[in-house]
Amino acid sequence: MIPAQQHETFRRCAGEEFPPEIVKAANDELEELVRILEAEGVTVRRPDPIPQGQVYSTGAWATTGMYAAMPRDAILVVGDQIIECPMAWRSRYYENLAYRPLIKEYFRNGAKWVAGPKPELTDELYDLDWTESAQGEPTNLVVTEFEPTFDAADFLRFGRDIIGQKSNVTNEFGIEWLRRTLGDEYRVRVLEFDDAHPMHIDATLAPLAPGKLLINPERVPEIPKMFRNWEVRAAPAPVIPDSHPLYMTSKWINMNILMLDEERVVVEAEDEPMIKFFKDWGFTPIPCNFRNFNSFGGSFHCATLDVRRSGSLETYVD
Ligand code: DAV
């Protein structure tokens, strides 16, 4: 995930405030994204800021918050259900509250609203002796099976099929909780990729349209059988320079695009190879500056959460 040349920065700055000039630049980019989405006919709703600097504690531990910039991580929307995720990071314990005013409103208008079991996040949830797994060995994950945890961004929705992965924030317990909560109408299926530090599936696979899948060529050496009837193409290599700060993500955040429908795709404005790639494939790329936002660990998919799309529930994969 975090590029090697940024590890030192992460160690030095973890727990500190993000540099204000990058926050400001990222905010400007977010406003640009809102303008673009609205111009394309999307209804955009924003969360309410919640204080992040205040210390909070469950008794077992105490921390401050991180941010509420990535609705895709905290909230999972499947059909008419809104699911608040039991997230594994202590610094993200209250992130859901930023979305509560919106969720209450959606609930009043008919949505179903459920929340994962509130996790304890005690030391038993974390493998405190975690080490990098050896080449060719199964990936060591930092979360244990102490209690269910997952981030919504470890799941992608393909109609009836919800495709997810185990990661450093999503355990089997959490996946099973989600499977039973969604019930028989959905199939929750788990895939494994070549990713030494999995956290979120949305820089590994991206469904673009029925039958069209974008994959990360480094992490998906073999196309999963369920996509055998799909046209699958590898994302072009990222062009983010080494000098650009990426606090919580790999450069593959370049493939964290947002599909508005089966043709229109929001793409980072400086990512010329990606813009060309989509044009060549018959899509309509819509460029938006987002590189400063990328520094915080996400791009267009992470920064948004589509709560309402038209269409019916269908089966797309084998
Ligand atoms: O490099 O795979 C993606 C994070 C998106 N929420 C990565 C991190």
Side-chain angles (χ1 to χ4, degrees):
M1 18 169 344
I2 304 175
Q5 71 274 7
Q6 311 260 0
H7 285 186
E8 196 275 324
T9 315
F10 185 81
R11 283 196 195 98
R12 187 163 36 86
C13 303
E16 299 292 314
E17 283 189 18
F18 292 113
E21 64 285 0
I22 305 189
V23 174
K24 160 93 180 59
N27 259 317
D28 291 347
E29 291 173 347
L30 205 53
E31 296 303 329
E32 180 182 334
L33 176 63
V34 171
R35 281 196 301 277
I36 287 173
L37 291 175
E38 287 178 339
E40 295 294 329
V42 178
T43 304
V44 180
R45 305 295 305 275
R46 307 289 295 271
D48 282 14
I50 53 170
Q52 301 288 352
Q54 232 161 284
V55 175
Y56 55 85
S57 169
T58 61
W61 47 263
T63 184
T64 53
M66 185 169 71
Y67 55 44
M70 314 286 174
R72 190 74 63 179
D73 299 354
I75 315 284
L76 183 62
V77 174
V78 179
D80 62 356
Q81 288 195 62
I82 301 172
I83 302 170
E84 293 185 32
C85 299
M87 299 176 92
W89 283 19
R90 293 172 180 170
S91 57
R92 308 191 78 174
Y93 200 65
Y94 286 118
E95 214 171 289
N96 57 323
L97 297 188
Y99 306 99
R100 277 283 172 85
L102 286 172
I103 298 175
K104 289 177 191 169
E105 181 190 318
Y106 294 141
F107 178 78
R108 289 194 182 101
N109 290 327
K112 287 189 197 138
W113 177 16
V114 288
K118 194 195 297 295
E120 293 178 53
L121 308 186
T122 51
D123 286 356
E124 289 144 292
L125 177 65
Y126 312 101
D127 176 359
L128 301 176
D129 300 318
W130 182 91
T131 52
E132 197 82 52
S133 38
Q135 271 285 321
E137 293 294 312
T139 306
N140 293 337
L141 299 175
V142 82
V143 283
T144 67
E145 294 294 331
F146 173 65
E147 60 187 343
T149 62
F150 63 89
D151 277 14
D154 272 319
F155 298 91
L156 290 169
R157 297 155 304 166
F158 293 75
R160 272 181 211 288
D161 289 281
I162 308 295
I163 294 171
Q165 66 169 7
K166 281 176 66 176
S167 80
N168 283 307
V169 290
T170 296
N171 58 18
E172 283 174 19
F173 211 165
I175 294 170
E176 186 55 25
W177 182 89
L178 181 65
R179 180 177 285 129
R180 290 193 212 169
T181 300
L182 291 177
D184 294 340
E185 208 177 0
Y186 294 93
R187 294 191 290 188
V188 175
R189 301 164 76 177
V190 178
L191 294 178
E192 211 179 310
F193 305 99
D194 271 7
D195 186 353
H197 306 111
M199 178 170 159
H200 303 164
I201 198 171
D202 55 354
T204 300
L205 297 181
L208 304 175
K212 288 181 189 165
L213 182 71
L214 180 68
I215 59 162
N216 179 323
E218 283 182 2
R219 296 183 189 163
V220 191
E222 211 180 304
I223 312 302
K225 278 212 270 320
M226 61 176 76
F227 299 115
R228 72 181 131 219
N229 296 319
W230 283 49
E231 188 180 358
V232 178
R233 295 197 191 177
V239 291
I240 302 173
D242 285 350
S243 56
H244 187 75
L246 291 176
Y247 304 118
M248 281 174 283
T249 176
S250 72
K251 291 187 187 184
W252 286 107
I253 204 65
N254 74 329
M255 58 172 286
N256 191 262
I257 45 84
L258 178 69
M259 298 305 303
L260 300 189
D261 53 26
E262 294 171 15
E263 275 153 31
R264 292 175 297 167
V265 52
V266 184
V267 182
E268 213 290 317
E270 288 181 83
D271 196 347
E272 282 168 24
M274 194 64 94
I275 292 172
K276 179 171 185 316
F277 168 87
F278 277 117
K279 275 191 192 150
D280 291 348
W281 201 357
F283 290 91
T284 308
I286 304 170
C288 175
N289 290 294
F290 226 48
R291 217 171 243 179
N292 294 288
F293 188 96
N294 290 165
S295 294
F296 300 95
S299 200
F300 307 109
H301 193 256
C302 302
T304 55
L305 174 62
D306 43 306
V307 291
R308 202 171 273 131
R309 284 185 185 252
S310 51
S312 52
L313 187 59
E314 287 178 42
T315 303
Y316 299 102
V317 296
D318 280 348

